[in-house]
Amino acid sequence: MQPLSIALGERSYPIYVGRGLLSRGDLLQAHLPRGAVCVVTNVTVAPLYLPVLRQALGGRRLVECVLPDGEQHKSLATLGTVFDALVAGQVHRDGAILALGGGVVGDMAGFAAACYQRGIACAQLPTTLLSQVDSSVGGKTAVNHPGGKNLIGAFHQPCAVYADTDTLATLPDRELRAGLAEVIKYGLLEDAAFFAWLETYAADLTGREPAALEHAIRRSCEIKAAVVAEDERETSGRRALLNLGHTFGHAIETAVHYRGWLHGEAVAVGLLLAADLSARLGMVDADVCERVRALLSRVGLPVAPPAVPPAELWRLMQMDKKVADGRVTLVLLDRLGRAVLRTDVPEAAVMATLGAAGP
Ligand code: NAD
Ligand code: GLY
């Protein structure tokens, strides 16, 4: 199986996308160091996929760390239990962590690997669509702090990523759709032809047709890998383009206190708001907004924000991490398939977009 590759010099690594990867002991062993392996997973994913992984890694000394499920457990306290498992299991510097689960498990396991004994290897085995197309690739790891999401973290690239598309068979529909928001994001920000492909194959994707899912994941990972290779630590502005829709989305998530809305659902509305704002500023035709709205609707994603006053959403957008020198940096479109950073957007234009969106 031919993996994608992310070109980061000595931190380069393969990204495998395909069926049956969790049982491919040969591929898993090929990129792991010699020592003990600690599988970090959660109570939902463990009964589904830990047995096959155990079998594939037969012969290795395995330590298992099964965490509670949920974003509320992405904390320093839970991270402590991962360190406890690593110490009790006598995992040394020649060992590795395998992150088996969605983005919550992946972010925590990756951060544990970044810190434990000043850094050990970590392979990502993402099992949600969102983690297969986004969080498992690129090396951002973190836990939350009561003061904010992902406030404590590190850049720590994995040694390999294995996106086993068979695991998506058990993913709830709503989680699958949330992942599709990030897939649509890649088309919008980088590849108009991919966006058009998504328009054509939307029903196959929601219907979990394996070849369609594999193509969507592979193309998303290719785009993310290329962007991260150019701007690993988000210093040049290139990687910041991956936040298309996220400043609006984070404001929505904060406004509803992270309840009732999945991240991908908030990003979906954010993508449409970013397209609308781009059209108001004369950067794209109104037709682009209509295509975004139609595609999001076809895959069952929301296209209107929750009932929050526009002024409140704007206030929350101004508190977002992407504020520098008092100016909100927005990722907008200057055509379908090309995103740009703008720090000069008038408040009146943002308010017009938020006001017109309505719940
Ligand atoms: P998640 O990890 O909470 O998974 C969603 C739900 O699906 C959970 O209940 C999980 O147990 C369950 N699940 C996972 N795989 C399953 C499967 N195959 N079958 C059935 N159920 C399954 O959520 P997520 O959307 O994967 O990730 C969200 C997290 O990712 C957030 O914490 C976010 O901050 C982070 N994130 C990180 C990055 C990054 O670059 N590091 C990027 C985007 C998001
Ligand atoms: N999810 C955005 C990034 O990895 O930079």
Side-chain angles (χ1 to χ4, degrees):
M1 175 178 287
Q2 194 56 33
L4 304 171
S5 178
I6 176 160
L8 289 167
E10 63 181 11
R11 291 182 308 290
S12 299
Y13 52 93
I15 302 166
Y16 293 92
V17 180
R19 304 188 67 173
L21 290 171
L22 291 186
S23 61
R24 290 289 304 272
D26 56 334
L27 288 185
L28 296 168
Q29 303 272 17
H31 302 287
L32 290 174
R34 287 178 315 150
V37 166
C38 176
V39 181
V40 178
T41 184
N42 75 16
V43 291
T44 306
V45 177
L48 296 169
Y49 301 112
L50 194 47
V52 66
L53 193 60
R54 270 189 206 126
Q55 198 167 4
L57 292 172
R60 278 271 176 167
R61 192 162 70 76
L62 274 195
V63 177
E64 295 175 6
C65 177
V66 181
L67 303 175
D69 190 357
E71 181 76 32
Q72 71 275 25
H73 298 292
K74 190 175 146 180
S75 64
L76 280 174
T78 312
L79 191 69
T81 66
V82 180
F83 293 136
D84 291 346
L86 289 161
V87 173
Q90 300 187 344
V91 178
H92 303 299
R93 295 203 66 190
D94 63 352
I97 289 180
L98 285 192
L100 174 69
V104 168
V105 164
D107 277 13
M108 267 194 292
F111 187 43
C115 304
Y116 185 67
Q117 302 210 4
R118 301 193 184 89
I120 63 170
C122 180
Q124 292 280 345
L125 281 63
T127 61
T128 62
L129 182 57
L130 183 136
S131 58
Q132 294 188 351
V133 300
D134 191 354
S135 58
S136 64
V137 173
K140 281 188 181 177
T141 72
V143 295
N144 301 329
H145 181 274
K149 203 167 141 63
N150 294 330
L151 280 189
I152 306 166
F155 285 98
H156 186 64
Q157 298 294 345
C159 58
V161 178
Y162 304 90
D164 184 338
T165 53
D166 283 341
T167 61
L168 301 178
T170 53
L171 195 65
D173 276 337
R174 194 170 165 204
E175 297 287 351
L176 186 89
R177 290 195 293 267
L180 285 174
E182 300 285 358
V183 173
I184 292 168
K185 176 193 79 174
Y186 289 115
L188 266 178
L189 76 90
E190 192 72 11
D191 185 347
F194 182 47
F195 188 89
W197 182 90
L198 293 169
E199 291 176 312
T200 304
Y201 292 97
D204 295 275
L205 292 166
T206 51
R208 302 180 195 229
E209 203 281 306
L213 279 175
E214 184 170 331
H215 177 75
I217 295 164
R218 189 173 280 277
R219 183 66 194 124
S220 299
C221 287
E222 268 172 6
I223 292 172
K224 179 151 189 186
V227 171
V228 171
E230 280 179 48
D231 183 18
E232 184 182 5
R233 299 214 163 204
E234 207 166 310
T235 47
S236 75
R238 180 86 172 110
R239 187 164 181 169
L241 298 178
L242 296 176
N243 292 324
L244 179 65
H246 283 61
T247 300
F248 288 107
H250 286 154
I252 290 171
E253 287 182 282
T254 311
V256 299
H257 306 289
Y258 295 93
R259 291 198 199 106
W261 281 67
L262 296 178
H263 172 70
E265 293 168 340
V267 167
V269 174
L271 293 175
L272 184 56
L273 294 175
D276 180 275
L277 183 52
S278 305
R280 277 174 204 279
L281 295 170
M283 299 166 67
V284 295
D285 293 337
D287 156 66
V288 170
C289 299
E290 286 321 306
R291 285 179 67 184
V292 175
R293 185 191 307 279
L295 181 53
L296 294 173
S297 299
R298 282 187 64 202
V299 301
L301 281 162
V303 289
V308 176
E312 174 63 2
L313 287 178
W314 174 232
R315 186 185 71 79
L316 294 170
M317 286 170 71
Q318 290 169 290
M319 290 169 60
D320 195 76
K321 281 199 292 259
K322 293 169 279 298
V323 174
D325 302 329
R327 287 172 171 275
V328 180
T329 302
L330 288 172
V331 188
L332 297 180
L333 298 170
D334 72 357
R335 63 171 155 79
L336 199 159
R338 192 167 68 197
V340 289
L341 294 182
R342 291 277 304 259
T343 54
D344 59 344
V345 178
E347 177 178 338
V350 181
M351 288 299 289
T353 284
L354 293 172

